[in-house]
């Protein structure tokens, strides 16, 4: 009897052990499966909507994701001077926040009433960003719209509701003392091409390694690196024509980010086409060599400047062609819009930063 009882106890113990093993195996498998399913869903969403390497958790992916979140929002990249004047200045709408990113000495000579001043090259500093509210429409103002557009991209990546004032102070006033630059007058009327240029997506993306962990810190570190590099934000149409087109310099790649239908009507010879809204897709970024200077071309220079900021954050060497195709040709069918004519000469106020 004692032997039988001992045998029964042994069998019972074995059954209990097997049961426990299955129980723990089931919990572990379920948790592991849950992680896998989560990653698969995230990959699927990213691949279907943005085609970015979001799930790899890399610093590059974090910049790409933040950019795609903005580009897929449907938000306009610019705001007209008329809206700023009628609503923010004349109408006194407190939901607008005016941010001038010009140099302090130019801001002091004349700026839009109510605008505060944070110079373009200092926008990445957290103490400056802390001055900008996230619950208002931020209107970014520069000289011609180019650096304001770069700042607009950065602010939207960080969760602000920002818009570049179209054509900057050039679109506001014709007073050259206030402008501090020569305004746009006419296009160079260089030749255009209609032959489509295809690029293979076989390039590696530049490596981003700031050592930061949050998306905001990574973006700010890369923006600081770019803005303190001494690199110009734009390249003139004359330089593009003389160096790249006429000179045949192979150290450049020309990227047209206009709509395909406008690209088809005429573009700078040799330019590839990647629409602005699709610039942050991985398969499109792989069309860009990381060892060449990238000339980004849009309609007026605004969206090209946003793309230029993004590409430099990723580690490319990119420049927006100043005034875009509007600066290259006067053919309205090719430009795809009405070119800049003149400023409405709205009022400005002088004085230092409040």
């Amino acid at each position: 009897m004692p032997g039988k009882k001992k045998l029964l106890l042994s069998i019972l113990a074995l059954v209990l052990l097997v049961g426990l093993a299955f129980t723990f195996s089931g919990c572990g498998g379920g948790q592991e499966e849950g992680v896998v399913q989560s990653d698969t869903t995230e990959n699927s969403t990213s691949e279907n909507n943005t085609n970015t390497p979001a799930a790899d958790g890399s610093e590059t992916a974090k910049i790409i994701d933040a950019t795609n979140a903005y580009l897929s929002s449907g938000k306009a990249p610019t705001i007209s001077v008329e809206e700023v004047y009628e609503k923010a200045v004349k109408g006194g709408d407190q939901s607008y926040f005016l941010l001038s990113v010009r140099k302090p000495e130019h801001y002091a000579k004349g700026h839009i009433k109510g605008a505060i001043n944070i110079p373009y090259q200092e926008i990445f500093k957290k103490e400056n960003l802390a001055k900008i509210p996230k619950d208002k429409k931020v209107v970014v103002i520069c000289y011609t719209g180019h650096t304001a557009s770069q700042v607009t991209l950065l602010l939207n990546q960080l969760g602000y509701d920002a818009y570049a004032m179209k054509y900057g102070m050039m679109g506001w006033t014709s007073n050259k003392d206030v402008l501090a630059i020569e305004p746009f007058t006419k296009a160079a009327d260089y030749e255009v091409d209609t032959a489509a240029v295809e690029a293979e997506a076989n390039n590696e993306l530049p490596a981003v390694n700031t050592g930061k962990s949050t998306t905001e810190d990574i973006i700010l570190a890369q923006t600081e690196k770019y803005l303190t590099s001494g690199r110009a934000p734009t390249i003139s149409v004359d330089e593009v024509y003389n160096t790249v087109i006429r000179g045949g310099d192979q150290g450049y790649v020309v990227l047209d980010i206009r709509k395909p239908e406008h690209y088809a009507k005429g573009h700078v010879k040799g330019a590839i086409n990647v629409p602005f809204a699709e610039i942050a897709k991985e398969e499109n970024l792989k069309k860009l060599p990381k060892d060449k200077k990238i000339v980004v071309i849009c309609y007026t220079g605004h969206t090209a400047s946003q793309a230029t900021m993004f590409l430099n954050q990723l580690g490319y060497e990119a420049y927006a062609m100043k005034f875009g195709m509007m600066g290259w040709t006067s053919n309205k069918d090719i430009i795809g819009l009405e070119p800049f004519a003149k400023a409405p000469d709205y009022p400005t106020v002088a004085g230092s930063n409040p």
Side-chain angles (χ1 to χ4, degrees):
M1 286 292 290
K4 287 184 179 180
K5 190 179 283 188
K6 195 172 181 181
L7 180 61
L8 282 170
L9 286 171
S10 298
I11 292 169
L12 277 171
L14 183 60
V15 169
L16 281 170
L17 283 172
V18 171
L20 283 170
F22 273 112
T23 302
F24 286 121
S25 174
C27 288
Q31 287 173 346
E32 192 66 34
E33 190 176 327
V35 171
V36 172
Q37 285 174 345
S38 176
D39 284 349
T40 303
T41 304
E42 187 176 344
N43 277 329
S44 177
T45 302
S46 174
E47 188 175 332
N48 290 339
N49 294 338
T50 60
N51 292 302
T52 67
D56 68 11
S58 70
E59 294 188 25
T60 300
K62 288 179 179 179
I63 297 173
I64 289 172
D65 283 352
T67 306
N68 271 314
Y70 164 52
L71 294 181
S72 63
S73 69
K75 192 182 294 184
T78 61
I79 185 172
S80 70
V81 295
E82 290 80 13
E83 181 177 345
V84 176
Y85 178 68
E86 291 295 334
K87 293 188 177 181
V89 180
K90 191 176 170 184
D93 191 332
Q94 295 300 302
S95 67
Y96 290 81
F97 182 84
L98 308 185
L99 170 63
S100 172
V101 295
R102 295 186 301 149
K103 292 181 178 179
E105 60 268 30
H106 299 148
Y107 169 88
K109 285 184 178 180
H111 55 267
I112 299 172
K113 186 179 179 180
I116 71 157
N117 182 225
I118 300 174
Y120 159 67
Q121 291 178 322
E122 298 177 17
I123 195 65
F124 62 86
K125 296 179 179 179
K126 287 193 175 182
E127 62 266 30
N128 287 331
L129 291 168
K131 300 173 185 176
I132 307 169
K134 282 194 172 180
D135 60 348
K136 293 189 177 185
K137 290 181 181 178
V138 181
V139 178
V140 191
I141 306 157
C142 67
Y143 299 89
T144 57
H146 294 82
T147 52
S149 292
Q150 289 202 354
V151 172
T152 294
L153 184 279
L154 170 66
L155 293 179
N156 278 289
Q157 286 174 323
L158 299 179
Y160 294 87
D161 184 19
Y163 306 83
M165 188 175 82
K166 196 164 187 181
Y167 299 124
M169 289 303 288
M170 182 185 83
W172 189 270
T173 180
S174 59
N175 185 329
K176 289 188 178 181
D177 287 336
V178 173
L179 291 180
I181 50 100
E182 283 296 319
F184 175 83
T185 52
K186 63 178 182 177
D189 276 321
Y190 290 130
E191 62 199 41
V192 297
D193 194 16
T194 56
V197 179
E198 298 296 332
E200 292 184 10
N202 56 9
N203 294 291
E204 289 185 1
L205 274 62
V208 177
N209 186 21
T210 67
K212 308 291 182 182
S213 57
T214 69
T215 298
E216 178 176 321
D217 286 343
I218 293 164
I219 288 172
L220 291 178
Q222 287 297 97
T223 303
E224 178 180 4
K225 184 178 179 181
Y226 166 48
L227 294 184
T228 58
S229 68
R231 190 176 293 172
T234 62
I235 185 172
S236 70
V237 293
D238 296 325
E239 185 175 348
V240 174
Y241 179 72
N242 290 320
T243 305
V244 184
I245 306 305
R246 206 165 84 173
D249 193 328
Q250 296 300 304
Y252 291 80
V253 60
V254 183
L255 170 64
D256 189 318
I257 61 169
R258 294 178 301 150
K259 293 179 179 179
E261 58 267 32
H262 296 144
Y263 169 84
K265 287 182 178 179
H267 52 265
V268 174
K269 188 177 181 181
I272 66 168
N273 181 227
V274 176
F276 172 59
E278 299 176 16
I279 191 63
K281 290 184 177 182
E282 186 183 6
E283 68 268 26
N284 288 330
L285 290 169
K286 285 183 174 180
K287 295 176 182 178
L288 306 174
K290 58 185 179 181
D291 60 346
K292 292 189 177 186
K293 295 176 182 178
I294 302 170
V295 177
V296 191
I297 303 172
C298 66
Y299 299 89
T300 57
H302 294 83
T303 51
S305 293
Q306 290 202 10
T308 293
M309 169 61 86
F310 168 61
L311 292 175
N312 278 288
Q313 288 173 337
L314 288 182
Y316 294 96
E317 183 179 353
Y319 305 85
M321 190 174 79
K322 197 166 186 180
F323 298 124
M325 287 303 289
M326 181 181 78
W328 189 270
T329 179
S330 58
N331 187 323
K332 291 182 185 179
D333 286 337
I334 294 173
I335 300 171
L337 49 68
E338 281 293 321
F340 175 78
K342 63 178 183 177
D345 281 317
Y346 290 134
T348 60
V349 294
S352 57
N353 205 23

